[in-house]
Amino acid sequence: IGVIGDLHGIYPDTSNWPKLDLLLLGGDLFSDYRKSLYEVIAIQETELLEKFNPWLEGINLPKKRKLFIGGNHDHILQHYQKQAQEKVSATYLENSFVVVDGFKIWGTPYSFFPPKYPKPWSFGSSEEGLKILYESIPKDVDIVMSHTPAKGALDLGFGGSHMGMFNFGSVALKEFLDQNPFPLPKLKLFTVNHVHEHGTSQMDWTWWDAKEERRRKFKYVNAAADIIYNPTQALTLVYI
């Protein structure tokens, strides 16, 4: 499985990518210039049609095997989701799931909205809203795609001079994944993005299975590409 996100309008060369069974795109796919919201949406629409979709079409996978979610900078997806979805040769997930090869894959673009953040923030939510959202995840899911990380898990990043170093992750998500009994017993992979500083990092998230009386784990991956600053740091490969 190839996982990548936080492209911000820069779409990497895929010619040296290995053959993939599945490609997961974790949001913040478009540029977000410091302009008015309507100007940014117009720019992102052009980017979607002239750059993003041609790049997707060049990846040798059928549409059902290329999945994407939005992120806090993807204003085109929040405000014109249906139109954008129809024009892209990949499958869009927004608090929804698909089944591919028997794997149930659920995705959400939503993230915690920092109160001090000065720019427009798409798919922003309070922690209370996120708690309700996570409780709606199907219990038999195999893979979850979330733009936001969990609080304290590959989420420490620089929020600019107005915020400094900041844990951008969601408290609600951390509490959800720390529940006992664990709410998603079939989970094999949980992907996040959003925080560039931890891009392409992986860890095992362990939980106690009281029924089987043993520890189990799933892969927790921050797949932010951060290719604005490091062009070679792109695709994260995960084997499950």
Side-chain angles (χ1 to χ4, degrees):
I1 299 174
V3 194
I4 192 170
D6 289 271
L7 299 175
H8 294 283
I10 301 175
Y11 307 110
D13 179 12
T14 64
S15 61
N16 62 347
W17 284 10
K19 184 178 179 181
L20 301 173
D21 296 306
L22 196 62
L23 177 63
L24 308 179
L25 300 161
D28 280 357
L29 305 172
F30 304 105
S31 304
D32 187 1
Y33 300 98
R34 294 181 182 273
K35 299 178 182 291
S36 73
L37 179 60
Y38 295 105
E39 288 176 299
V40 171
I41 289 173
I43 291 168
Q44 291 186 353
E45 183 177 19
T46 300
E47 210 163 58
L48 182 147
L49 296 173
E50 297 182 4
K51 293 177 64 180
F52 179 58
N53 198 51
W55 176 75
L56 277 175
E57 289 176 340
I59 298 172
N60 188 25
L61 284 171
K63 180 174 181 176
K64 71 175 184 178
R65 294 183 180 273
K66 294 180 283 191
L67 311 181
F68 73 108
I69 59 174
N72 56 294
H73 293 288
D74 294 329
H75 310 299
I76 182 71
L77 296 179
Q78 177 160 48
H79 295 276
Y80 297 97
Q81 180 256 111
K82 184 177 180 181
Q83 297 92 318
Q85 183 178 359
E86 291 171 349
K87 297 174 181 177
V88 173
S89 62
T91 301
Y92 178 65
L93 298 178
E94 185 176 321
N95 309 333
S96 58
F97 71 88
V98 294
V99 177
V100 181
D101 292 340
F103 288 95
K104 181 173 285 189
I105 306 165
W106 184 91
T108 181
Y110 280 86
S111 59
F112 171 63
F113 176 70
K116 296 181 181 179
Y117 197 77
K119 292 176 62 181
W121 188 289
S122 284
F123 302 111
S125 176
S126 66
E127 292 288 9
E128 291 79 10
L130 290 175
K131 180 179 180 180
I132 294 169
L133 174 63
Y134 300 138
E135 292 294 341
S136 74
I137 299 175
K139 304 308 178 188
D140 59 346
V141 73
D142 297 285
I143 298 172
V144 171
M145 300 170 63
S146 167
H147 186 63
T148 186
K151 194 80 165 183
L154 307 182
D155 73 326
L156 183 64
F158 183 62
S161 58
H162 56 288
M163 293 173 67
M165 294 303 291
F166 184 82
N167 287 98
F168 281 87
S170 164
V171 172
L173 180 54
K174 176 69 163 59
E175 292 177 349
F176 177 75
L177 293 176
D178 279 345
Q179 286 185 83
N180 186 6
F182 187 66
L184 308 175
K186 290 184 63 180
L187 187 65
K188 300 169 182 64
L189 173 63
F190 197 108
T191 71
V192 304
N193 287 264
H194 194 39
V195 181
H196 297 199
E197 287 83 349
H198 286 283
T200 70
S201 299
Q202 303 186 32
M203 59 180 274
D204 289 331
W205 192 299
T206 61
W207 57 279
W208 177 252
D209 188 332
K211 185 176 181 180
E212 298 187 6
E213 296 187 338
R214 66 183 178 95
R215 287 209 166 272
R216 294 175 59 186
K217 63 184 179 181
F218 58 89
K219 288 286 185 185
Y220 178 90
V221 178
N222 183 330
D226 197 19
I227 55 177
I228 294 175
Y229 306 106
N230 185 355
T232 63
Q233 182 178 314
L235 188 69
T236 300
L237 293 176
V238 184
Y239 302 88
I240 60 171

